[in-house]
Amino acid sequence: MTSGQDGDVLVVGAGLAGLECARSLARRGLHVSVLEASDGVGGRVRTDVVDGYLVDRGFQVINPSYPALRSFVDLAELDLRPFDAGLGVRTHDGIRVLADPRRAPGRTVATLRSGFLDVRELAHLARWVAPALGPVSRLLTADDVTLRASLATAGVDGRLWHEALEPFLAGVLAERDGTSSAAFVRLLVRSFLLGTPGVPREGVGALPRQLARSLQVRLETPVRSVATRHGGIEVRTDDGTLRSRAVVVATDPVTAGRLTPVTSPAMKGLLTSWFATDTPPWSEALILVDGRRSGPVVNTAVMTLAAPSYAPPGRHLVQASCLLPPGADAPSDAEIRRHVTELYGRDVSSWQQVARHEIRDAVTAQPAPLAVRQPVALGDGLFVCGDHRDTASIQGALVSGHRTASAVAAWLAGAGGRACP
């Protein structure tokens, strides 16, 4: 049934951007409601409990160095359990460990003996990384090219890159072709240099649950259309039509393209398989990548070596993630198990599969030149937010939600406030 007005602002989508937008508006004294199509908050950042295991929907980590997290989130409440500051690399003659000597000095000898540290390549990598360590404003205003082109210019072409860093970034970027913006990748590298990523004790879903705590969220309420009407905006759901002074579409990028005039960006896919075992395949709280690129898995990690809470007592949970290029078939469970066996050097055929997540729209593409701070106001009280309006990251989602809230509040205080009935 159609009501006269259903509050000041309707936010469509309870992902990180929508929740932060709604929370910021509510703090300004506005009446805000959030509509969410699924059965829980978080969007792409969710955690399921399966037989006592905490299973995130895709392998995700939270980097406490993100400024938006420090500004908008109670990090202490999340109780982050960090992975070790390093990386495991499967080579033809075993697993080699690379670690940050600043945060993991005990691994310095292993790193020096890894065979990956070539003085010339390190100098070229330092040249490539240098812009990431300066002011962010300078990085974002400089000429931008693809990652592949920027590496060629810096002369980066050695074992450390090809066998360790590129395989690691493949899992972060959901690509291997180097087509992402170099500026965006440098932003990510900056965050890794400044902070050690981890997972909340109760899974990544603890982050959106914290954001949603004081909000009015209507779950299982998919929105079919959003239309501007005289004096407000109508949002049609299966339960009826709601009317509000302003509407923020904070859905995934594909749905935002259906509900608003914005163009949907290209999306990249990831597959994550979750396995339970009595005995961990190794003893390191590190992400492990394949320097040989001999299978579909781009990274794997024993979650419980960083966060024991991810499994029942005495059990362990292992994730293995693969790329899902557009139009490509997903790797089979047998292919994944074979590759994980090779990576750890342990037979994993007896492991129990707890969950398998095929997420075709997992990561928003960030091509060069990087377009940051895209417009969020679409006119007549309609707004859009999400990481596709800023950067494809938790940082970008939170920033987008916060700045969209400021734009909505300004609009309501001006023409929008005078136009509403």
Side-chain angles (χ1 to χ4, degrees):
M1 132 178 101
T2 304
S3 62
Q5 184 169 303
D6 297 279
D8 298 311
V9 186
L10 288 173
V11 176
V12 182
L16 298 185
L19 292 172
E20 175 54 34
C21 180
R23 193 170 67 153
S24 182
L25 288 167
R27 286 173 173 168
R28 289 171 163 87
L30 296 168
H31 184 274
V32 186
S33 295
V34 182
L35 308 178
E36 169 56 40
S38 71
D39 61 356
V41 301
R44 286 170 282 171
V45 183
R46 289 190 61 177
T47 303
D48 298 317
V49 180
V50 181
D51 298 331
Y53 295 91
L54 297 182
V55 181
D56 298 329
R57 295 192 181 178
F59 176 49
Q60 304 179 55
V61 294
I62 292 177
N63 194 322
S65 72
Y66 282 149
L69 282 171
R70 298 199 302 268
S71 297
F72 308 143
V73 174
D74 185 344
L75 285 170
E77 180 185 296
L78 292 183
D79 193 8
L80 291 179
R81 303 304 171 98
F83 286 91
D84 289 347
L87 185 67
V89 182
R90 165 57 72 175
T91 68
H92 291 288
D93 56 355
I95 296 177
R96 298 289 178 260
V97 171
L98 296 168
D100 183 341
R102 302 168 304 156
R103 287 173 286 180
R107 297 182 186 273
T108 301
V109 173
T111 301
L112 292 172
R113 292 176 176 173
S114 67
F116 285 100
L117 303 187
D118 175 83
V119 174
R120 184 176 179 181
E121 185 182 6
L122 288 173
H124 291 164
L125 275 169
R127 182 191 309 163
W128 182 87
V129 169
L133 302 179
V136 172
S137 58
R138 183 187 304 167
L139 174 61
L140 295 179
T141 55
D143 290 340
D144 188 24
V145 296
T146 65
L147 172 61
R148 183 174 55 218
S150 72
L151 292 169
T153 299
V156 177
D157 187 26
R159 189 182 179 198
L160 178 59
W161 172 258
H162 289 293
E163 296 186 31
L165 300 181
E166 188 280 331
F168 169 73
L169 286 174
V172 178
L173 301 171
E175 69 176 34
R176 288 192 182 276
D177 58 10
T179 56
S180 283
S181 151
F184 175 65
V185 179
R186 284 184 170 114
L187 286 174
L188 291 176
V189 170
R190 176 189 180 93
S191 71
F192 285 122
L193 291 173
L194 296 177
T196 302
V199 292
R201 185 181 184 279
E202 297 303 323
V204 296
L207 172 56
R209 288 197 300 271
Q210 181 186 128
L211 297 177
R213 187 173 296 147
S214 61
L215 299 174
Q216 298 179 24
V217 181
R218 291 176 54 177
L219 300 176
E220 299 180 301
T221 308
V223 169
R224 304 305 179 187
S225 66
V226 177
T228 302
R229 297 287 185 262
H230 179 70
I233 301 181
E234 290 183 353
V235 174
R236 184 171 63 84
T237 75
D238 292 343
D239 297 327
T241 300
L242 304 174
R243 198 160 183 268
S244 183
R245 298 166 64 192
V247 169
V248 178
V249 174
T251 63
D252 64 87
V254 175
T255 303
R258 177 175 60 82
L259 295 176
T260 74
V262 302
T263 301
S264 297
M267 302 295 292
K268 297 178 290 187
L270 291 167
L271 180 157
T272 301
S273 291
W274 300 89
F275 300 101
T277 176
D278 290 327
T279 306
W282 72 335
S283 59
E284 305 286 357
L286 293 169
I287 295 172
L288 176 64
V289 300
D290 189 355
R292 309 159 307 164
R293 306 190 194 187
S294 64
V297 175
V298 290
N299 63 58
T300 179
V302 184
M303 303 297 296
T304 38
L305 293 179
S309 54
Y310 267 59
R315 297 284 285 172
H316 289 274
L317 183 68
V318 182
Q319 72 82 19
S321 294
C322 310
L323 303 188
L324 276 182
D329 292 334
S332 67
D333 291 338
E335 290 177 289
I336 294 171
R337 285 180 186 266
R338 176 198 60 77
H339 197 191
V340 173
T341 293
E342 291 182 5
L343 287 170
Y344 287 113
R346 298 286 187 275
D347 181 10
V348 305
S349 59
S350 64
W351 287 4
Q352 169 197 351
Q353 186 174 70
V354 179
R356 173 183 164 111
H357 296 131
E358 294 184 25
I359 307 174
R360 293 285 176 177
D361 297 329
V363 179
T364 305
Q366 300 277 247
L370 182 64
V372 295
R373 302 297 188 268
Q374 296 190 64
V376 296
L378 304 181
D380 297 323
L382 178 61
F383 298 81
V384 62
C385 73
D387 67 357
H388 57 103
R389 311 312 291 170
D390 283 77
T391 57
S393 61
I394 288 174
Q395 165 75 12
L398 293 173
V399 167
S400 179
H402 197 74
R403 73 182 181 93
T404 301
S406 296
V408 172
W411 186 83
L412 290 175
R418 293 192 298 272
C420 52

